[in-house]
Amino acid sequence: MRIVIHNLTKEFEKGESTLRALGGVSLEVRDREFFGIIGPTGCGKTTLLHIIAGLDSATTGSLEFVGEKRTQAMVSMVFQDSALMPWRNVEDNVPLGSEFRKEPPSVSKRIAGFFLEVVRMLDFGSAKPHELSGGMKQKVAIARALANDPEVIVMDEPFASLDAQTRLILREELLRIWERDKKTVILVTHNIEEAVMLCDRIAVMSASPGVVKCVLPVDVRRPRTIRSMSDPDFARCVDKIWEMLRDEVDRTMRHSRPSQ
Ligand SMILES: Nc1ncnc2c1ncn2[C@@H]1O[C@H](COP(=O)(O)OP(=O)(O)O)[C@@H](O)[C@H]1O
Ligand SMILES: [Mg+2]
């Protein structure tokens, strides 16, 4: 599923005034691509993902899904905090899509089992979300997104709230899963290394109102593991992205500094 976004803007009404969150975003995500978006806080990354996922609408501009099978893309979103239903156990959190499609419980159960196995969480099927660590919850959220069998998965800083080691492990897990049944993935992250480790290409966004400043290819060999981080190509790519991002982060910090 290819995604073509052209000159997309988003404005939020704030009392008398309007806040321009996206200032004309144009980009194209290729079929089965792992596409990264990186940009300073407040530049509109979450807003853009919400629009792609159909949770919000653009003010102007166009968003088109181009695919072979379906005319309507199915997009699943993974949020920063897993957003699991606390009253349901893990196994019942995964097959929501199957429930919406009114498939029989036996089908939902089979789907849940299959995708919990994929994220190596099958042993925790009867646990409640509060019994899981942050990393485990995110794995369940990823299983839920996959179980929905979407054409596209969008992820909004899925590992941001996790500790450094758990992040590394989940990055590898996500790579393994993506290599298995390549879907089109859009990943928003603050972390440059994370973007380089996972993505085929990375869009760097400008400070608010966000536009795409540039799209950089990641020339690091696949399959990638934690060891890829010591590859000279990896370091070169991190440098290049930081060079593009630095001014935007500076601009954001200058604007958010409290006045004396
Ligand atoms: N529902 C909303 N109503 C009003 N303003 C919003 C809403 N969502 C986001 N914004 C504003 O839009 C801008 C971009 O926000 P967001 O997309 O969350 O940025 P990012 O994810 O890049 O940090 C921010 O200034 C934010 O306050
Ligand atoms: Mg955000």
Side-chain angles (χ1 to χ4, degrees), residues 5-238:
I5 295 171
H6 186 65
N7 218 359
L8 201 109
T9 70
K10 176 68 181 180
E11 288 175 354
F12 291 109
E13 302 301 327
K14 281 214 161 163
E16 302 282 277
S17 62
T18 333
L19 186 142
R20 201 166 166 82
L22 292 172
V25 169
S26 296
L27 62 87
E28 193 170 323
V29 180
R30 298 170 186 151
D31 185 34
R32 293 165 198 279
E33 184 170 32
F34 205 126
F35 191 86
I37 298 178
I38 201 157
T41 303
C43 75
K45 303 179 296 295
T46 296
T47 304
L48 179 61
L49 286 195
H50 282 169
I51 294 170
I52 295 171
L55 302 172
D56 202 346
S57 55
T59 305
T60 61
S62 65
L63 163 69
E64 201 188 342
F65 294 94
V66 188
E68 295 152 23
K69 284 183 285 176
R70 298 178 187 157
T71 48
Q72 188 84 37
M74 272 259 296
V75 185
S76 285
M77 182 146 177
V78 177
F79 300 88
Q80 184 171 340
D81 62 343
S82 60
L84 299 177
M85 295 178 178
W87 63 91
R88 287 190 172 202
N89 68 20
V90 164
E91 195 182 56
D92 293 339
N93 258 290
V94 174
L96 291 187
S98 169
E99 277 180 40
F100 285 133
R101 290 192 293 275
K102 303 248 183 316
E103 289 166 354
S106 60
V107 173
S108 297
K109 207 172 161 63
R110 192 155 41 79
I111 290 174
F114 181 82
F115 287 100
L116 284 174
E117 174 82 55
V118 168
V119 297
R120 305 193 224 248
M121 282 292 291
L122 199 53
D123 292 345
F124 295 86
S126 55
K128 287 276 171 53
H130 75 266
E131 297 173 277
L132 305 179
S133 69
M136 288 169 156
K137 279 192 238 181
Q138 280 313 75
K139 290 214 278 187
V140 176
I142 291 167
R144 179 178 58 186
L146 291 168
N148 209 12
D149 192 24
E151 303 264 354
V152 180
I153 299 181
V154 298
M155 305 183 133
D156 192 4
E157 308 200 39
F159 308 142
S161 59
L162 307 176
D163 66 79
Q165 286 85 34
T166 309
R167 284 181 87 125
L168 285 178
I169 289 169
L170 284 198
R171 276 181 213 166
E172 279 202 339
E173 292 272 306
L174 187 56
L175 273 176
R176 179 181 59 79
I177 292 164
W178 178 77
E179 299 280 356
R180 196 183 130 264
D181 62 356
K182 295 193 173 150
K183 304 239 179 221
T184 307
V185 176
I186 304 179
L187 170 83
V188 162
T189 174
H190 266 114
N191 188 303
I192 301 179
E193 278 88 8
E194 183 164 294
V196 173
M197 170 105 173
L198 294 169
C199 299
D200 294 315
R201 292 187 303 148
I202 298 167
V204 178
M205 286 181 73
S206 71
S208 178
V211 296
V212 174
K213 187 173 177 182
C214 61
V215 178
L216 299 168
V218 179
D219 296 319
V220 180
R221 251 176 319 132
R222 290 194 191 272
R224 298 179 195 155
T225 63
I226 288 174
R227 283 201 202 90
S228 309
M229 295 174 86
S230 47
D231 186 329
D233 290 333
F234 194 100
R236 257 194 297 278
C237 193
V238 169

Side-chain angles (χ1 to χ4, degrees), residues 253-260:
M253 286 172 72
R254 273 200 300 276
H255 285 118
S256 58
R257 194 173 291 163
S259 48
Q260 304 283 319

